[in-house]
Amino acid sequence: MAQPDLSLASILTRRLAWIALAVMVVNALAVATYYGSDRQLLEREAVERELDKLKAAVTGDSLRVAQPARRLFIDYPDAYGFALLHPDGRLLDGENNRLIPEQALSSGLFIQDWQTRLAQSEGTSLVVSRLAEIQGDTLQLVFVMQDDPARLVRKALIIEFIKHIWLPILPIALILIGANAFMIRRSIRPVSVAARWARSIKPGTAAAPLASHDLPAEITDLVEATQRSLERLSMALSAEQRRAAEAAHALRTPLAILMARLDALPAGPTTDKVRADLAVLSRTVRQILDSARADGLQVTEDTRTDLCAVASNVVAALAPAAYQQGAEISLVVQATSIFARAAPDAVELAVSNLIENAIVHSRSPLIEVTVGPGPIISVSDSGCGLPADAGNRLFEPFWRGEGASPGGAGLGLAIVDRLQRAQGGSVSADNRSEGGARFVLTFQAD
């Protein structure tokens, strides 16, 4: 099944989202390049974060660091250490003090914040000291990092991503996408209005005027050009329909005169053959008129027809002609009245064509017309059935299957198909299991 086409608003919104994603990716690469190339900066930010945690965790009169903040130093005793010093040099608290160089604990360095990197036997250590105001006292926090098994530097890089990309850029991008999607939909609404107007136009009818006071100039120009084109097409279609109807009407009078003169001739094989040929010609002329009517058919929303009444009238009108051809027509109705959204003349014309088609081509002694259940009329016969090569060509104009009865022009079923499509309905045909063919007219429910 083919996927439905995306609207212009959806396409533009998706493209805008891709642009926003590309901007975020570029910013992520820039942040990664900037901070990834400066490890010392990341180390300093990672250590500053740990010192803030230690300062916030100092509680009580004993000025000791609470247990949750010590978890890092307990889990990695060979990598991280800290010390909390009083201004007089006393060690108030600490963890893994053996990692801290002795000179870092000297009170002579207490007067300032500092950071240094020391080479020791175990490797290079990063040592940072900071003055901290804790419970009214100025204390010294010393932090040492010899290795980074806890990935503090990597976490610092991730936090930089969050601070410089997710927090400032992502919300703005989402707001811009939402605002632009709203503006895009509002801006292209005139295109949707013009599209609905174009879909409402039906062949052979004048295009309804479209209010263009709120349309952009380009859309207004397109609508006006379309209206002019449709007017020209409608005029051409009307002229073709008029010429076909006029030609058919002009032929009816000479045909009637010829039939009358034939009646004055003596009976004989030649006279009978000419009379049969004139009957075929008369039926073809009538079908041309019917075709012109089908092209100009218009069904409004409030048009409704009782299918049972129409079928009853058609059967009563064609029963004598069927009897002359050796056939009988029966009518079966599933309800007293069945209403559908259809034009009475069009329903009558479609059913008449199907019955005449069955009389002429099926050679069936019985033709059954069934109305219902629902807005459906079916015409069935017990004849030879549909030709094997019929397929979808059955309703094409002028198509005749092999072995078709002489005298037809191949217009009847094509007219029925056009009538049904003009009414929003359909026509289908199949062979019955018990023999013969069945044609089904389906209408829109009222």
Side-chain angles (χ1 to χ4, degrees):
M1 182 177 179
Q3 295 292 329
D5 294 334
L6 293 175
S7 64
L8 180 58
S10 298
I11 293 174
L12 294 177
T13 302
R14 288 190 178 190
R15 291 179 178 177
L16 183 63
W18 280 112
I19 292 174
L21 179 61
V23 170
M24 293 185 62
V25 169
V26 171
N27 275 272
L29 292 176
V31 171
T33 302
Y34 176 76
Y35 285 97
S37 62
D38 193 347
R39 181 177 177 83
Q40 292 184 1
L41 176 61
L42 290 175
E43 287 178 342
R44 184 167 60 251
E45 293 186 358
V47 171
E48 290 291 334
R49 192 167 292 107
E50 295 303 319
L51 288 172
D52 289 338
K53 292 180 181 177
L54 290 171
K55 177 182 176 182
V58 176
T59 59
D61 296 335
S62 59
L63 299 176
R64 293 185 58 84
V65 177
Q67 185 63 29
R70 310 175 80 96
R71 177 56 56 189
L72 173 69
F73 308 95
I74 296 173
D75 292 342
Y76 304 99
D78 298 327
Y80 308 100
F82 81 91
L84 178 62
L85 302 175
H86 194 270
D88 60 9
R90 286 183 294 118
L91 180 63
L92 301 176
D93 194 9
E95 197 76 53
N96 306 328
N97 293 338
R98 59 183 175 80
L99 299 177
I100 302 176
E102 294 182 4
Q103 59 268 37
L105 303 177
S106 172
S107 60
L109 298 175
F110 185 78
I111 60 174
Q112 59 184 350
D113 295 338
W114 52 267
Q115 174 178 322
T116 186
R117 191 178 297 273
L118 301 176
Q120 303 183 51
S121 59
E122 297 85 355
T124 302
S125 298
L126 176 65
V127 185
V128 179
S129 174
R130 181 204 286 180
L131 298 181
E133 292 290 336
I134 300 176
Q135 298 185 12
D137 293 328
T138 301
L139 306 179
Q140 181 182 10
L141 274 172
V142 179
F143 180 90
V144 61
M145 181 172 68
Q146 188 165 320
D147 195 3
D148 191 19
R151 302 292 189 268
L152 299 181
V153 175
R154 179 181 298 178
K155 292 177 182 177
L157 179 60
I158 294 174
I159 291 174
E160 292 301 326
F161 271 101
I162 296 174
K163 289 172 55 179
H164 293 87
I165 296 178
W166 294 108
L167 292 181
I169 297 180
L170 182 59
I172 293 176
L174 293 178
I175 292 173
L176 287 176
I177 290 174
N180 279 276
F182 176 75
M183 295 303 298
I184 287 171
R185 292 184 183 278
R186 285 185 60 88
S187 299
I188 66 173
R189 185 177 297 173
V191 179
S192 301
V193 173
R196 287 195 298 270
W197 169 79
R199 286 193 297 269
S200 67
I201 299 173
K202 297 181 180 180
T205 61
L210 178 64
S212 58
H213 61 276
D214 58 346
L215 297 181
E218 295 82 0
I219 302 299
T220 301
D221 187 44
L222 176 62
V223 169
E224 292 176 352
T226 303
Q227 285 179 320
R228 290 192 296 269
S229 299
L230 288 173
E231 289 174 359
R232 290 193 293 269
L233 289 174
S234 296
M235 292 175 60
L237 179 60
S238 299
E240 290 295 329
Q241 294 173 348
R242 185 172 58 254
R243 279 192 288 269
E246 290 172 351
H249 276 292
L251 288 173
R252 293 180 66 178
T253 300
L255 286 174
I257 295 174
L258 287 175
M259 293 292 291
R261 289 178 178 177
L262 276 176
D263 292 337
L265 295 177
T270 301
T271 302
D272 293 339
K273 181 173 176 49
V274 173
R275 182 176 286 106
D277 291 340
L278 283 176
V280 171
L281 181 58
S282 178
R283 182 166 181 259
T284 301
V285 170
R286 181 165 52 82
Q287 285 182 332
I288 294 175
L289 283 172
D290 293 342
S291 178
R293 290 170 58 191
D295 289 335
L297 177 64
Q298 296 296 327
V299 179
T300 60
E301 293 292 328
D302 57 348
T303 302
R304 59 197 305 264
T305 297
D306 184 357
L307 301 181
C308 297
V310 173
S312 177
N313 294 335
V314 173
V315 169
L318 294 181
Y323 180 78
Q324 292 179 356
Q325 298 292 329
E328 180 181 350
I329 307 176
S330 66
L331 176 64
V332 178
V333 293
Q334 304 292 336
T336 304
S337 298
I338 299 177
F339 289 94
R341 186 181 299 169
D345 294 346
V347 177
E348 178 181 343
L349 184 55
V351 176
S352 299
N353 271 279
L354 292 182
I355 294 177
E356 290 179 355
N357 192 72
I359 294 173
V360 173
H361 298 289
S362 70
R363 306 181 184 90
S364 170
L366 177 63
I367 299 171
E368 183 178 281
V369 179
T370 304
V371 184
I376 293 175
I377 299 178
S378 62
V379 178
S380 306
D381 61 65
S382 56
C384 55
L386 301 175
D389 60 339
N392 295 329
R393 303 184 61 193
L394 189 64
F395 299 100
E396 292 180 2
F398 308 111
W399 182 84
R400 290 169 54 82
E402 294 183 6
S405 300
L411 289 175
L413 294 181
I415 293 172
V416 172
D417 180 56
R418 281 153 59 192
L419 287 169
Q420 289 301 100
R421 284 190 284 110
Q423 300 182 102
S426 63
V427 57
S428 59
D430 60 0
N431 285 318
R432 304 169 64 196
S433 58
E434 61 269 28
R438 175 174 52 240
F439 290 81
V440 179
L441 301 174
T442 303
F443 302 88
Q444 292 188 57
D446 180 54

